[in-house]
Amino acid sequence: MSISIILSTRNRAALLDQTLASFSKLDTSGLTVEFLVVDNGSQDDTEDVLKRWCNQLPLNFWHCSTPGKNICLNQAVRKSNGTLLVFTDDDVQANP
C-alpha cells in the first residue's frame, strides 16, 4: 500500500520540526510512504527545517504564494502518488 501524508505550514518552523521528527519514528514496514509539505509563505526557518528533513524522510516540499490552507492541500493532492491520502497538521506528534 502507498500512503501520501500531506500537510501545509506557515511560520511554524519549530513545531514543524517536532512533527517531522515524530514522522521519522513511524513504523512504515510494508508501506510506501511519501510526505508532502506545502509552505504557504513562511518568513521563518521553515525552509531550512524542510531541507534538513529531506535527508531523513521521503519528503517533498514546495512553496505556494497564494494564501490559504486548502489551496496548498489541493496542490499536494495533485502531486501525490499514494493510494491513501492522509491529511494532518504541522503541530502533531505521530505515534510510532
Side-chain angles (χ1 to χ4, degrees), residues 5 7 9 16 25 33 35 38 45 52 55-56 62 64-65 67-68 72 76 78 80 84 87 90 96:
I5 299 176
L7 64 94
T9 190
L16 177 63
K25 297 173 185 158
V33 178
F35 299 91
V38 185
D45 295 329
R52 187 172 64 251
N55 296 325
Q56 300 171 55
W62 60 94
C64 175
S65 59
C72 294
R78 288 189 292 273
S80 66
L84 176 65
F87 297 88
D90 58 2

PDB file of all heavy atoms in Angstrom, residues 5 7 9 16 25 33 35 38 45 52 55-56 62 64-65 67-68 72 76 78 80 84 87 90 96:
ATOM      1  N   ILE A   5       1.308  11.378   3.037  1.00  0.00           N
ATOM      2  CA  ILE A   5       0.987  12.164   4.221  1.00  0.00           C
ATOM      3  C   ILE A   5       1.167  13.623   3.831  1.00  0.00           C
ATOM      4  O   ILE A   5       2.264  14.035   3.427  1.00  0.00           O
ATOM      5  CB  ILE A   5       1.861  11.764   5.411  1.00  0.00           C
ATOM      6  CG1 ILE A   5       1.597  10.289   5.741  1.00  0.00           C
ATOM      7  CG2 ILE A   5       1.583  12.673   6.609  1.00  0.00           C
ATOM      8  CD1 ILE A   5       2.459   9.718   6.834  1.00  0.00           C
ATOM      9  N   LEU A   7       0.528  17.864   4.412  1.00  0.00           N
ATOM     10  CA  LEU A   7       0.266  18.974   5.327  1.00  0.00           C
ATOM     11  C   LEU A   7       0.741  20.278   4.719  1.00  0.00           C
ATOM     12  O   LEU A   7       1.585  20.297   3.830  1.00  0.00           O
ATOM     13  CB  LEU A   7       0.905  18.741   6.697  1.00  0.00           C
ATOM     14  CG  LEU A   7       2.417  18.662   6.796  1.00  0.00           C
ATOM     15  CD1 LEU A   7       3.000  20.018   7.145  1.00  0.00           C
ATOM     16  CD2 LEU A   7       2.798  17.661   7.874  1.00  0.00           C
ATOM     17  N   THR A   9       1.967  24.367   5.928  1.00  0.00           N
ATOM     18  CA  THR A   9       2.545  25.050   7.075  1.00  0.00           C
ATOM     19  C   THR A   9       2.782  26.511   6.750  1.00  0.00           C
ATOM     20  O   THR A   9       2.907  26.883   5.576  1.00  0.00           O
ATOM     21  CB  THR A   9       3.855  24.359   7.510  1.00  0.00           C
ATOM     22  OG1 THR A   9       4.275  24.888   8.768  1.00  0.00           O
ATOM     23  CG2 THR A   9       4.947  24.522   6.469  1.00  0.00           C
ATOM     24  N   LEU A  16       6.884  22.375  13.271  1.00  0.00           N
ATOM     25  CA  LEU A  16       7.054  21.506  12.108  1.00  0.00           C
ATOM     26  C   LEU A  16       8.241  20.567  12.313  1.00  0.00           C
ATOM     27  O   LEU A  16       8.160  19.379  11.991  1.00  0.00           O
ATOM     28  CB  LEU A  16       7.246  22.347  10.842  1.00  0.00           C
ATOM     29  CG  LEU A  16       7.501  21.574   9.561  1.00  0.00           C
ATOM     30  CD1 LEU A  16       6.300  20.699   9.194  1.00  0.00           C
ATOM     31  CD2 LEU A  16       7.830  22.534   8.428  1.00  0.00           C
ATOM     32  N   LYS A  25       9.962   8.456  13.167  1.00  0.00           N
ATOM     33  CA  LYS A  25       9.904   7.291  14.056  1.00  0.00           C
ATOM     34  C   LYS A  25       8.735   6.364  13.733  1.00  0.00           C
ATOM     35  O   LYS A  25       8.544   5.350  14.405  1.00  0.00           O
ATOM     36  CB  LYS A  25       9.817   7.758  15.503  1.00  0.00           C
ATOM     37  CG  LYS A  25      11.042   8.539  15.928  1.00  0.00           C
ATOM     38  CD  LYS A  25      10.873   9.139  17.289  1.00  0.00           C
ATOM     39  CE  LYS A  25      12.082  10.019  17.596  1.00  0.00           C
ATOM     40  NZ  LYS A  25      11.800  11.014  18.601  1.00  0.00           N
ATOM     41  N   VAL A  33       5.711   5.180   1.600  1.00  0.00           N
ATOM     42  CA  VAL A  33       5.224   6.415   2.212  1.00  0.00           C
ATOM     43  C   VAL A  33       5.942   7.610   1.608  1.00  0.00           C
ATOM     44  O   VAL A  33       7.156   7.568   1.378  1.00  0.00           O
ATOM     45  CB  VAL A  33       5.447   6.398   3.742  1.00  0.00           C
ATOM     46  CG1 VAL A  33       4.973   7.698   4.366  1.00  0.00           C
ATOM     47  CG2 VAL A  33       4.736   5.222   4.368  1.00  0.00           C
ATOM     48  N   PHE A  35       5.950  12.026   2.161  1.00  0.00           N
ATOM     49  CA  PHE A  35       5.497  13.165   2.943  1.00  0.00           C
ATOM     50  C   PHE A  35       5.506  14.381   2.027  1.00  0.00           C
ATOM     51  O   PHE A  35       6.540  14.688   1.423  1.00  0.00           O
ATOM     52  CB  PHE A  35       6.410  13.391   4.150  1.00  0.00           C
ATOM     53  CG  PHE A  35       6.432  12.229   5.094  1.00  0.00           C
ATOM     54  CD1 PHE A  35       7.372  11.225   4.957  1.00  0.00           C
ATOM     55  CD2 PHE A  35       5.504  12.133   6.112  1.00  0.00           C
ATOM     56  CE1 PHE A  35       7.386  10.141   5.814  1.00  0.00           C
ATOM     57  CE2 PHE A  35       5.509  11.060   6.986  1.00  0.00           C
ATOM     58  CZ  PHE A  35       6.462  10.059   6.836  1.00  0.00           C
ATOM     59  N   VAL A  38       3.560  21.659   1.982  1.00  0.00           N
ATOM     60  CA  VAL A  38       3.452  22.898   1.221  1.00  0.00           C
ATOM     61  C   VAL A  38       3.664  24.062   2.181  1.00  0.00           C
ATOM     62  O   VAL A  38       2.954  24.201   3.174  1.00  0.00           O
ATOM     63  CB  VAL A  38       2.087  23.021   0.529  1.00  0.00           C
ATOM     64  CG1 VAL A  38       2.061  24.257  -0.363  1.00  0.00           C
ATOM     65  CG2 VAL A  38       1.765  21.768  -0.270  1.00  0.00           C
ATOM     66  N   ASP A  45      12.227  29.983   9.671  1.00  0.00           N
ATOM     67  CA  ASP A  45      13.204  28.980   9.228  1.00  0.00           C
ATOM     68  C   ASP A  45      12.562  27.722   8.658  1.00  0.00           C
ATOM     69  O   ASP A  45      13.202  26.667   8.604  1.00  0.00           O
ATOM     70  CB  ASP A  45      14.110  28.595  10.404  1.00  0.00           C
ATOM     71  CG  ASP A  45      14.961  29.756  10.883  1.00  0.00           C
ATOM     72  OD1 ASP A  45      15.316  30.615  10.049  1.00  0.00           O
ATOM     73  OD2 ASP A  45      15.275  29.792  12.086  1.00  0.00           O
ATOM     74  N   ARG A  52      16.506  20.096   5.839  1.00  0.00           N
ATOM     75  CA  ARG A  52      17.202  19.169   6.728  1.00  0.00           C
ATOM     76  C   ARG A  52      16.495  17.816   6.771  1.00  0.00           C
ATOM     77  O   ARG A  52      17.134  16.763   6.731  1.00  0.00           O
ATOM     78  CB  ARG A  52      17.305  19.782   8.127  1.00  0.00           C
ATOM     79  CG  ARG A  52      18.146  18.965   9.077  1.00  0.00           C
ATOM     80  CD  ARG A  52      18.398  19.664  10.401  1.00  0.00           C
ATOM     81  NE  ARG A  52      17.173  19.884  11.170  1.00  0.00           N
ATOM     82  CZ  ARG A  52      16.599  21.066  11.376  1.00  0.00           C
ATOM     83  NH1 ARG A  52      17.134  22.170  10.879  1.00  0.00           N
ATOM     84  NH2 ARG A  52      15.503  21.157  12.085  1.00  0.00           N
ATOM     85  N   ASN A  55      16.740  14.804   3.960  1.00  0.00           N
ATOM     86  CA  ASN A  55      17.791  13.790   4.017  1.00  0.00           C
ATOM     87  C   ASN A  55      17.391  12.591   4.867  1.00  0.00           C
ATOM     88  O   ASN A  55      18.073  11.571   4.834  1.00  0.00           O
ATOM     89  CB  ASN A  55      19.081  14.397   4.578  1.00  0.00           C
ATOM     90  CG  ASN A  55      19.637  15.469   3.684  1.00  0.00           C
ATOM     91  OD1 ASN A  55      19.544  15.385   2.465  1.00  0.00           O
ATOM     92  ND2 ASN A  55      20.189  16.507   4.273  1.00  0.00           N
ATOM     93  N   GLN A  56      16.307  12.724   5.634  1.00  0.00           N
ATOM     94  CA  GLN A  56      15.934  11.663   6.565  1.00  0.00           C
ATOM     95  C   GLN A  56      14.565  11.048   6.292  1.00  0.00           C
ATOM     96  O   GLN A  56      14.262   9.980   6.817  1.00  0.00           O
ATOM     97  CB  GLN A  56      15.966  12.224   7.992  1.00  0.00           C
ATOM     98  CG  GLN A  56      17.347  12.735   8.368  1.00  0.00           C
ATOM     99  CD  GLN A  56      17.327  13.472   9.682  1.00  0.00           C
ATOM    100  OE1 GLN A  56      16.885  12.930  10.682  1.00  0.00           O
ATOM    101  NE2 GLN A  56      17.790  14.707   9.682  1.00  0.00           N
ATOM    102  N   TRP A  62       7.353  22.249  -1.387  1.00  0.00           N
ATOM    103  CA  TRP A  62       7.386  23.374  -2.315  1.00  0.00           C
ATOM    104  C   TRP A  62       6.665  24.542  -1.652  1.00  0.00           C
ATOM    105  O   TRP A  62       6.055  24.405  -0.601  1.00  0.00           O
ATOM    106  CB  TRP A  62       6.783  23.014  -3.666  1.00  0.00           C
ATOM    107  CG  TRP A  62       5.361  22.576  -3.613  1.00  0.00           C
ATOM    108  CD1 TRP A  62       4.249  23.355  -3.798  1.00  0.00           C
ATOM    109  CD2 TRP A  62       4.879  21.271  -3.338  1.00  0.00           C
ATOM    110  NE1 TRP A  62       3.109  22.606  -3.658  1.00  0.00           N
ATOM    111  CE2 TRP A  62       3.478  21.316  -3.374  1.00  0.00           C
ATOM    112  CE3 TRP A  62       5.488  20.050  -3.074  1.00  0.00           C
ATOM    113  CZ2 TRP A  62       2.679  20.201  -3.154  1.00  0.00           C
ATOM    114  CZ3 TRP A  62       4.701  18.947  -2.843  1.00  0.00           C
ATOM    115  CH2 TRP A  62       3.320  19.022  -2.896  1.00  0.00           C
ATOM    116  N   CYS A  64       3.922  27.751  -1.902  1.00  0.00           N
ATOM    117  CA  CYS A  64       2.701  28.239  -2.525  1.00  0.00           C
ATOM    118  C   CYS A  64       2.528  29.680  -2.062  1.00  0.00           C
ATOM    119  O   CYS A  64       2.377  29.933  -0.865  1.00  0.00           O
ATOM    120  CB  CYS A  64       1.505  27.391  -2.107  1.00  0.00           C
ATOM    121  SG  CYS A  64      -0.068  28.018  -2.716  1.00  0.00           S
ATOM    122  N   SER A  65       2.557  30.599  -2.980  1.00  0.00           N
ATOM    123  CA  SER A  65       2.468  32.013  -2.607  1.00  0.00           C
ATOM    124  C   SER A  65       1.026  32.495  -2.438  1.00  0.00           C
ATOM    125  O   SER A  65       0.791  33.553  -1.859  1.00  0.00           O
ATOM    126  CB  SER A  65       3.186  32.876  -3.648  1.00  0.00           C
ATOM    127  OG  SER A  65       2.606  32.680  -4.916  1.00  0.00           O
ATOM    128  N   PRO A  67      -2.288  32.674  -0.585  1.00  0.00           N
ATOM    129  CA  PRO A  67      -2.716  32.356   0.781  1.00  0.00           C
ATOM    130  C   PRO A  67      -3.878  31.365   0.809  1.00  0.00           C
ATOM    131  O   PRO A  67      -4.749  31.395  -0.049  1.00  0.00           O
ATOM    132  CB  PRO A  67      -3.173  33.702   1.345  1.00  0.00           C
ATOM    133  CG  PRO A  67      -2.630  34.733   0.435  1.00  0.00           C
ATOM    134  CD  PRO A  67      -2.450  34.093  -0.899  1.00  0.00           C
ATOM    135  N   GLY A  68      -3.833  30.476   1.804  1.00  0.00           N
ATOM    136  CA  GLY A  68      -4.949  29.557   2.014  1.00  0.00           C
ATOM    137  C   GLY A  68      -4.518  28.114   2.160  1.00  0.00           C
ATOM    138  O   GLY A  68      -3.851  27.566   1.286  1.00  0.00           O
ATOM    139  N   CYS A  72      -3.206  25.057  -0.704  1.00  0.00           N
ATOM    140  CA  CYS A  72      -1.981  24.271  -0.547  1.00  0.00           C
ATOM    141  C   CYS A  72      -2.270  22.772  -0.564  1.00  0.00           C
ATOM    142  O   CYS A  72      -1.583  22.004  -1.241  1.00  0.00           O
ATOM    143  CB  CYS A  72      -1.290  24.633   0.765  1.00  0.00           C
ATOM    144  SG  CYS A  72      -0.676  26.312   0.815  1.00  0.00           S
ATOM    145  N   ALA A  76      -1.043  19.651  -3.146  1.00  0.00           N
ATOM    146  CA  ALA A  76      -0.405  18.409  -2.709  1.00  0.00           C
ATOM    147  C   ALA A  76      -1.152  17.185  -3.219  1.00  0.00           C
ATOM    148  O   ALA A  76      -0.530  16.198  -3.622  1.00  0.00           O
ATOM    149  CB  ALA A  76      -0.293  18.386  -1.193  1.00  0.00           C
ATOM    150  N   ARG A  78      -2.765  16.881  -5.957  1.00  0.00           N
ATOM    151  CA  ARG A  78      -2.429  16.712  -7.380  1.00  0.00           C
ATOM    152  C   ARG A  78      -1.034  16.115  -7.574  1.00  0.00           C
ATOM    153  O   ARG A  78      -0.786  15.462  -8.580  1.00  0.00           O
ATOM    154  CB  ARG A  78      -2.559  18.040  -8.117  1.00  0.00           C
ATOM    155  CG  ARG A  78      -4.010  18.479  -8.302  1.00  0.00           C
ATOM    156  CD  ARG A  78      -4.149  19.669  -9.226  1.00  0.00           C
ATOM    157  NE  ARG A  78      -3.603  20.894  -8.674  1.00  0.00           N
ATOM    158  CZ  ARG A  78      -4.251  21.745  -7.895  1.00  0.00           C
ATOM    159  NH1 ARG A  78      -5.486  21.491  -7.541  1.00  0.00           N
ATOM    160  NH2 ARG A  78      -3.669  22.842  -7.468  1.00  0.00           N
ATOM    161  N   SER A  80       0.439  14.020  -5.324  1.00  0.00           N
ATOM    162  CA  SER A  80       0.605  12.812  -4.512  1.00  0.00           C
ATOM    163  C   SER A  80       0.619  11.556  -5.367  1.00  0.00           C
ATOM    164  O   SER A  80       0.039  11.517  -6.448  1.00  0.00           O
ATOM    165  CB  SER A  80      -0.512  12.728  -3.475  1.00  0.00           C
ATOM    166  OG  SER A  80      -1.753  12.537  -4.116  1.00  0.00           O
ATOM    167  N   LEU A  84      -3.627   5.997  -0.605  1.00  0.00           N
ATOM    168  CA  LEU A  84      -4.302   6.518   0.575  1.00  0.00           C
ATOM    169  C   LEU A  84      -3.691   7.873   0.902  1.00  0.00           C
ATOM    170  O   LEU A  84      -2.469   7.989   1.032  1.00  0.00           O
ATOM    171  CB  LEU A  84      -4.130   5.565   1.765  1.00  0.00           C
ATOM    172  CG  LEU A  84      -4.710   6.026   3.100  1.00  0.00           C
ATOM    173  CD1 LEU A  84      -6.242   6.134   3.014  1.00  0.00           C
ATOM    174  CD2 LEU A  84      -4.301   5.059   4.200  1.00  0.00           C
ATOM    175  N   PHE A  87      -4.275  13.463   5.621  1.00  0.00           N
ATOM    176  CA  PHE A  87      -4.100  14.888   5.866  1.00  0.00           C
ATOM    177  C   PHE A  87      -3.843  15.099   7.352  1.00  0.00           C
ATOM    178  O   PHE A  87      -4.536  14.530   8.194  1.00  0.00           O
ATOM    179  CB  PHE A  87      -5.342  15.672   5.434  1.00  0.00           C
ATOM    180  CG  PHE A  87      -5.605  15.576   3.967  1.00  0.00           C
ATOM    181  CD1 PHE A  87      -6.375  14.551   3.449  1.00  0.00           C
ATOM    182  CD2 PHE A  87      -5.054  16.515   3.095  1.00  0.00           C
ATOM    183  CE1 PHE A  87      -6.618  14.473   2.078  1.00  0.00           C
ATOM    184  CE2 PHE A  87      -5.287  16.426   1.736  1.00  0.00           C
ATOM    185  CZ  PHE A  87      -6.060  15.405   1.224  1.00  0.00           C
ATOM    186  N   ASP A  90       0.745  20.663  11.012  1.00  0.00           N
ATOM    187  CA  ASP A  90       2.177  20.843  11.250  1.00  0.00           C
ATOM    188  C   ASP A  90       2.536  20.863  12.732  1.00  0.00           C
ATOM    189  O   ASP A  90       3.676  21.136  13.099  1.00  0.00           O
ATOM    190  CB  ASP A  90       2.689  22.128  10.579  1.00  0.00           C
ATOM    191  CG  ASP A  90       1.962  23.368  11.047  1.00  0.00           C
ATOM    192  OD1 ASP A  90       1.083  23.287  11.922  1.00  0.00           O
ATOM    193  OD2 ASP A  90       2.283  24.457  10.526  1.00  0.00           O
ATOM    194  N   PRO A  96       4.416   6.224  16.945  1.00  0.00           N
ATOM    195  CA  PRO A  96       5.171   5.311  16.068  1.00  0.00           C
ATOM    196  C   PRO A  96       4.378   4.108  15.638  1.00  0.00           C
ATOM    197  O   PRO A  96       4.514   3.594  14.550  1.00  0.00           O
ATOM    198  CB  PRO A  96       6.365   4.896  16.914  1.00  0.00           C
ATOM    199  CG  PRO A  96       6.514   5.952  17.927  1.00  0.00           C
ATOM    200  CD  PRO A  96       5.132   6.497  18.172  1.00  0.00           C
TER     201      PRO A  96
END
